[in-house]
Amino acid sequence: MKPTILLAATATLASVSEGCALIKSRGRDCHGTARNEGGNWYCGEVDHITFTGLGDRGSYKAVTNMGPGGRCDMQDKAYDGPLGVLADELSIHIRGPFRLKEAAVYNLGAHDTWHRVSYYHAAKQLVDNMVFLGMYGGQGSGVFDQNWGNSLAYLNADGTAGSSASQILDDVEIPSNKELAIFSGKKCNESCGFSRAEDVAFHGFGGGNKVFLFDFQMPLHQASRNDFNGDMPALWALNANIPRTAQYGGCSCWKTGCGELDIYEVLAPGDTKCKSTLHAAHAGGSSDYFARPVDRPVKIAVVFSAKESAVAIHRLDDNTAFAPNFTDRTVFTWLRGAVDGKGVSMFHVPR
């Protein structure tokens, strides 16, 4: 997660699937006057941010082995498609202070219907095809060594330490600067590539057409603001190969552009503005921002559309239910944002 830059953007969006007419977006890249706060640019508060122009081809360095003495072997892995590296499997990541109430993942199926493939509900303690992990290797699962530190491990129910087996995350507030990761419940095989800790190696959420839904809150935590990453909550997605190797070490594909999407990220202790940024071979983000949901939860959709070469982060109505299925028309409204462009920010990825 890195500071965002201010760049101009214009875009035209079409439908998520076949048969819908082109819609000219009226969104802007900067609502209000841009201002620099501690090296990060901010414009105005919005309810929707769309990234366009994501189609790309290239390669990044995928880890093939992590050996003794800090050995890190890599080889080129090619990508080519309308979402670039974001079509790869992604893992979901959270940093506290954060309370996750509900989460769901959808894929586009037959007859233009979006089907729920993974689900979590905190209060009901329901989970389907999701596993909660954290960088606590050596605490009951995963591994630890002096070269690379902690690998992934199963997360305990409090979201604060490792566990020897998979547990459902309780209905709790993740403390300031504690982090967790969400993967699918499908164990990895050779198709995942190299994983440092095979006992906790799971697939991410793949495909060029996918939707993430979240219901969450980011409470303030004044007492931690002088600590590292204190009171700086975040929600983001990574190429799943990154945490399966070394999320914060030098042995991962991150530096070579394998992909990260910051969805809601606070960049200064105690700030109430959340930025969204793409990190890949071509990177950047809108300088508009979302309001940090401090006092009450917010529901959002993150729509990945291969057809439109676009990703949208959209604030949902509070009464939106995370239903088992959605129509393509519904998902298209999340991708498009308001018809009149009000509160819609656009960022076209530069080349």
Side-chain angles (χ1 to χ4, degrees):
M1 295 174 286
K2 304 295 182 190
T4 302
I5 59 174
L6 175 66
L7 292 170
T10 58
T12 300
L13 288 181
S15 65
V16 176
S17 62
E18 299 291 343
C20 292
L22 291 173
I23 292 179
K24 176 68 176 178
S25 171
R26 298 179 184 177
R28 295 179 289 164
D29 64 297
C30 183
H31 288 67
T33 302
R35 58 194 183 278
N36 187 327
E37 298 181 10
N40 299 303
W41 287 96
Y42 298 91
C43 287
E45 181 183 326
V46 295
D47 294 321
H48 181 106
I49 295 176
T50 299
F51 294 80
T52 62
L54 295 174
D56 198 9
R57 67 173 60 185
S59 65
Y60 57 82
K61 297 290 185 180
V63 176
T64 58
N65 185 54
M66 298 173 71
R71 179 178 176 179
C72 178
D73 298 329
M74 295 182 169
Q75 68 180 23
D76 288 338
K77 181 177 180 180
Y79 60 87
D80 182 6
L83 278 187
V85 292
L86 293 183
D88 280 7
E89 291 188 0
L90 303 178
S91 50
I92 297 165
H93 296 261
I94 288 169
R95 182 173 68 216
F98 196 105
R99 181 179 288 273
L100 180 64
K101 296 174 63 65
E102 197 173 6
V105 178
Y106 297 78
N107 288 142
L108 181 60
H111 309 296
D112 292 337
T113 300
W114 293 78
H115 302 287
R116 194 176 71 194
V117 296
S118 298
Y119 183 67
Y120 164 73
H121 193 291
K124 296 179 180 179
Q125 285 292 277
L126 295 176
V127 66
D128 177 36
N129 191 35
M130 278 188 179
V131 63
F132 296 94
L133 306 176
M135 287 294 174
Y136 298 106
Q139 298 181 18
S141 55
V143 297
F144 172 84
D145 64 50
Q146 295 298 325
N147 292 307
W148 303 115
N150 303 91
S151 73
L152 286 170
Y154 289 117
L155 189 71
N156 69 1
D158 291 334
T160 58
S163 173
S164 61
S166 179
Q167 298 191 29
I168 301 176
L169 181 67
D170 280 341
D171 188 5
V172 295
E173 179 181 321
I174 304 302
S176 185
N177 198 35
K178 290 289 186 179
E179 295 187 3
L180 63 85
I182 303 174
F183 286 74
S184 80
K186 182 180 179 182
K187 287 296 293 285
C188 274
N189 52 27
E190 61 276 2
S191 66
C192 287
F194 176 79
S195 296
R196 184 176 168 218
E198 293 185 358
D199 60 326
V200 290
F202 289 84
H203 281 273
F205 305 102
N209 293 296
K210 52 184 175 263
V211 172
F212 299 160
L213 299 187
F214 301 102
D215 182 358
F216 66 96
Q217 187 175 351
M218 293 175 162
L220 294 172
H221 194 265
Q222 186 172 356
S224 67
R225 290 178 189 172
N226 291 326
D227 301 334
F228 178 73
N229 279 345
D231 202 10
M232 293 173 59
L235 170 65
W236 72 104
L238 288 175
N239 186 307
N241 287 305
I242 297 172
R244 286 196 298 252
T245 53
Q247 183 173 338
Y248 291 113
C251 191
S252 84
C253 60
W254 190 90
K255 290 184 178 179
T256 59
C258 61
E260 172 181 346
L261 179 66
D262 297 328
I263 300 168
Y264 263 57
E265 181 184 17
V266 173
L267 296 175
D271 200 0
T272 56
K273 300 182 291 296
C274 296
K275 297 296 293 293
S276 301
T277 310
L278 171 68
H279 301 280
H282 305 284
S286 169
S287 288
D288 289 324
Y289 59 87
F290 296 107
R292 174 177 174 176
V294 172
D295 299 319
R296 56 193 297 268
V298 66
K299 293 181 179 181
I300 67 167
V302 186
V303 181
F304 298 81
S305 173
K307 179 174 175 58
E308 309 312 328
S309 188
V311 172
I313 304 167
H314 178 75
R315 180 167 179 173
L316 298 167
D317 292 337
D318 290 343
N319 62 357
T320 301
F322 293 8
N325 300 290
F326 286 107
T327 66
D328 196 48
R329 182 177 295 276
T330 295
V331 173
F332 176 54
T333 64
W334 302 341
L335 178 66
R336 177 198 62 200
V339 175
D340 62 3
K342 185 177 181 180
V344 174
S345 185
M346 308 293 296
F347 179 81
H348 190 76
V349 177
R351 291 292 187 268

